[in-house]
Amino acid sequence: MDQITAQNIQANLSEYWAPRLRVEVLDEVVSTNTLLKTRGAEGAPAGTVVIADTQTGGKGRLGRSFYSPNHTGLYISVLLRPSDMNPAKALHITTMAAVAACEAIEDVAEDSVSRPMIKWVNDIILEDRKVAGILTESAINATSGKIDFAVLGIGLNVYAPEGGFPEEIKEIAGAILPIEIEGARSRLAAAFLNHFFERYACVSNSENEAKQNQILDEYVKAYKARSIVLGKSVNVIPTGGGERRTAQVLDITDDCNMLVAYTDGECEEAMLSSGEVSIRPIGEIK
Ligand code: BTN
């Protein structure tokens, strides 16, 4: 069986990050994000990472649940303390993680899979199936208005669960690897952490602004290059309810917001932020 172990993850972390991250692997939790939010409030240091083999109450975006069966998935939460980051820029944590997840999948799956892509804002897509989702939760300091801490959570469907995905998601969910490979989940976790922290460390350090901007610029380009919605027709679904509209995606901005032109009436343009809408490419089964 492909067991996740802290030792194997640690052994696959880069020389720089291995001593800087505290990785804990648990068999079962309600939600790694919820657990790490509690630890964050109690003062746990940035770089604390909790990984679980299964979650009984895995959380997705917009109050949804995230299916988290044992032995086949990888559920990771990372505690960050980006004290200098403007809360308006916190979306970069999610989008940077999306690029890191794609790169990690490529590292571990090598030539056995096609190019992992991103559905704005937080879904990782492989061969038209969602194989991972990201949920970042932030605690804002009421006095300073700054981010006290953020918990970056990612759930990856590494293998198909025994008996297949449940009815509600079986048309959209997919697995990264077709067969079990010993140590693959640990290597995937380490590759994700290496790729994510390589960029995040530069961006969260405000000392070298030029370097910060260069990294931001480079990864937003990488994010856009993997976008499945850029230039496409999409359904825009307001998360708070309201009318679904069709639109053409014109751009993903430097802040990872989405510029669209509605195509179902007056051709008006709008800038959409991730909290206000869901996007589905037209023709996607759901
Ligand atoms: C989504 O697809 O809507 C986001 C899913 C995020 C799931 C991960 S699994 C690890 C972490 N713990 C949670 O409860 N959720 C995130």
Side-chain angles (χ1 to χ4, degrees), residues 31-33 55 58-61 66 76 122 130 133-134 154-155:
S31 152
T32 54
N33 265 31
Q55 300 184 115
K59 297 186 297 180
R61 274 184 75 229
F66 187 76
I76 308 176
N122 68 327
K130 173 170 172 173
I134 299 163
I154 177 164

Side-chain angles (χ1 to χ4, degrees), residues 91-92 94-96 98-99 117-123 216-232 234 248-261 269-274 279:
L91 182 58
H92 283 299
T94 298
T95 47
M96 227 176 259
V99 175
M117 303 294 281
I118 302 167
K119 191 180 92 175
W120 186 81
V121 59
N122 68 327
D123 288 348
L216 278 174
D217 198 53
E218 175 264 332
Y219 107 82
V220 174
K221 278 202 185 88
Y223 183 92
K224 286 166 76 164
R226 290 186 190 268
S227 170
I228 58 162
V229 295
L230 195 54
K232 301 268 170 56
V234 294
Q248 183 84 11
V249 179
L250 302 180
D251 199 9
I252 293 170
T253 66
D254 291 350
D255 284 337
C256 289
N257 288 324
M258 180 171 280
L259 179 65
V260 299
E269 290 188 6
M271 187 68 81
L272 306 177
S273 79
S274 64
I279 291 287

Side-chain angles (χ1 to χ4, degrees), residues 122-157:
N122 68 327
D123 288 348
I124 309 301
I125 307 291
L126 203 56
E127 283 149 19
D128 291 335
R129 299 269 168 169
K130 173 170 172 173
V131 295
I134 299 163
L135 171 69
T136 305
E137 301 182 89
S138 306
I140 308 291
N141 183 303
T143 316
S144 65
K146 289 188 164 184
I147 300 175
D148 188 13
F149 64 84
V151 172
L152 159 65
I154 177 164
L156 301 111
N157 308 326

Side-chain angles (χ1 to χ4, degrees), residues 159-221:
Y159 307 110
E162 215 176 300
F165 289 98
E167 193 61 31
E168 320 82 79
I169 57 169
K170 75 170 199 235
E171 301 293 350
I172 51 168
I176 295 166
L177 295 172
I179 48 159
E180 251 188 54
I181 303 171
E182 212 185 309
R185 287 193 297 164
S186 299
R187 287 201 300 281
L188 188 58
F192 168 73
L193 294 168
N194 285 333
H195 285 297
F196 173 74
F197 275 105
E198 194 186 324
R199 293 193 180 98
Y200 170 80
C202 296
V203 170
S204 59
N205 171 3
S206 58
E207 273 163 35
N208 186 342
E209 212 181 320
K211 176 86 181 159
Q212 202 181 34
N213 288 336
Q214 183 206 326
I215 298 286
L216 278 174
D217 198 53
E218 175 264 332
Y219 107 82
V220 174
K221 278 202 185 88

